[in-house]
Amino acid sequence: MATRVYVVARVPAAARETCEALVNPYLASPNEPGVYTFSVPLVPLAGADNAEPTAYGVCSAIMDDSGLYQALPALSAAVPGTAYKVVSPFRTFDLAADWTGWLAAGGLKVRQTVAL
Amino acid sequence: MSLSGGLTAGLVAGLTSRAMGGVSAWNPSRLTGLAVTLLPAESRSRGLLWQNTAETVPAVADGDPVRVAVCPYTGVKFTAPSDAARPLLWDEGGGKWSLSFDGVDDYLSSPNVAATGTQVVGVRFRNASSVSGVRLLVSLKDRLELAVLPTGGYRPLTWLYGGTNNTVGLAESTALDAGTYATAVISYAGGGPTVAANYGVVWNGTERTPTTGSNFGAPTGSGVGGRDGSAFFFAGRMPAVVVADASADAATRALLSTYLGAL
């Protein structure tokens, strides 16, 4: 029986457009103009909160028998510097551990440009 | 329907339904100026939740992602900007449903979530267990934000007016329990957005006195669960959001709060 899982992923800023094109065939609906799948700007953990993004991240729920799930290893291998993590089932997703902590382990954090 | 007429009808319906042991007779359609609602359980039962923008794949099961949610009363849509930004339908049991926001990039936007003159916003939500910092529940561009500070904050719920960088907040000293649902109804009656007395706040069924507090910047976008360009996406579950472009007096706030609290 298929299980819905969360996938968190990060891609180098320079490879963002390439990665958008790679995942686009697997989307149920196209993104709006100017909206990206990899929409979360990420900056070096040790740097300023509002530094220029060096990577972009995403968190998406998909089925573990879907085409995107099956393609994840090949997609990641095709673009150096990318990384992803699967959290299964989706109800076990923990923001601190599976996103913030996972980013920190990779030397990244979410970019913040304003106090709120 | 006039404000007084709507209020009277709402009160009668509310009192009647309470006497009958429920609150089902009152619903947000009785609010003057109803703009849009996000009511996953009701929209689901009416076939108004969709996984895709073409609205060909319904969202009905636990875990189904919601790209489009249609308000059962106004027909106005909430839309996620991308597939990755879709919140998930969550079976709460007992016929109750909510939308689960991942805290990373999930949010919904609607043309009817916008700043107007007077306004009332109601929301029922539950924080995820491992959340820190400010998280956005409802944002209205250039106007205000309804935010939650799950840990470490002395104002877990804050109604922000961005126009002059003044905050009108709820002086709530108790930290929110991540395992408990909370309900908030906040109305703005006009007369000056930085004056606390112009706001009405009901927190978990109890009318509270809002206060004026510290400064925040004006929100740069609108949405539920977050907004574009923000790093403070909501992590948790929401069974209801109600936005009306008219203020609400204490009696109407109480009716809305009771309605939300039952979801």
Side-chain angles (χ1 to χ4, degrees), chain B residues 98-103 125-129 131 234-238:
Chain B
S98 62
L99 291 185
S100 176
F101 294 78
D102 63 22
F125 65 96
R126 169 182 169 160
N127 294 311
S129 59
V131 178
F234 174 68
R237 311 203 297 266
M238 277 194 233

Side-chain angles (χ1 to χ4, degrees), chain A residues 19 22-23 26 67-68 70-80 82 84:
Chain A
C19 293
L22 288 173
V23 302
Y26 298 101
L68 178 56
Q70 293 166 1
L72 281 172
L75 293 177
S76 182
V79 183
T82 62
Y84 72 92

Side-chain angles (χ1 to χ4, degrees), chain A residues 4 28-31 59 91 116, chain B residues 53 62-63 67 82-83 134 160:
Chain A
R4 188 170 299 281
S29 300
N31 292 339
C59 176
R91 283 187 177 236
L116 180 68
Chain B
T53 54
D62 182 58
R67 185 73 186 263
S82 70
D83 278 3
V134 175
L160 306 175

Side-chain angles (χ1 to χ4, degrees), chain A residues 4 6 27-32 35 37 39-40 58-61 90-91 93-96 99 110-112 114-116, chain B residues 52-53 62-65 67 81-84 88 90-91 102-105 130 134-135 145 160 216 227 231-232 235:
Chain A
R4 188 170 299 281
Y6 267 122
L27 301 181
S29 300
N31 292 339
E32 297 174 0
V35 174
T37 292
S39 65
V40 184
V58 65
C59 176
S60 187
F90 74 94
R91 283 187 177 236
F93 180 76
D94 181 280
L95 184 68
W99 176 243
V110 175
R111 185 183 193 226
Q112 296 183 15
V114 294
L116 180 68
Chain B
N52 58 341
T53 54
D62 182 58
D64 280 355
R67 185 73 186 263
S82 70
D83 278 3
L88 304 183
W90 188 288
D91 186 354
D102 63 22
V104 175
D105 54 10
S130 60
V134 175
R135 298 285 163 171
E145 288 186 311
L160 306 175
F216 288 87
R227 53 177 168 76
F232 306 99

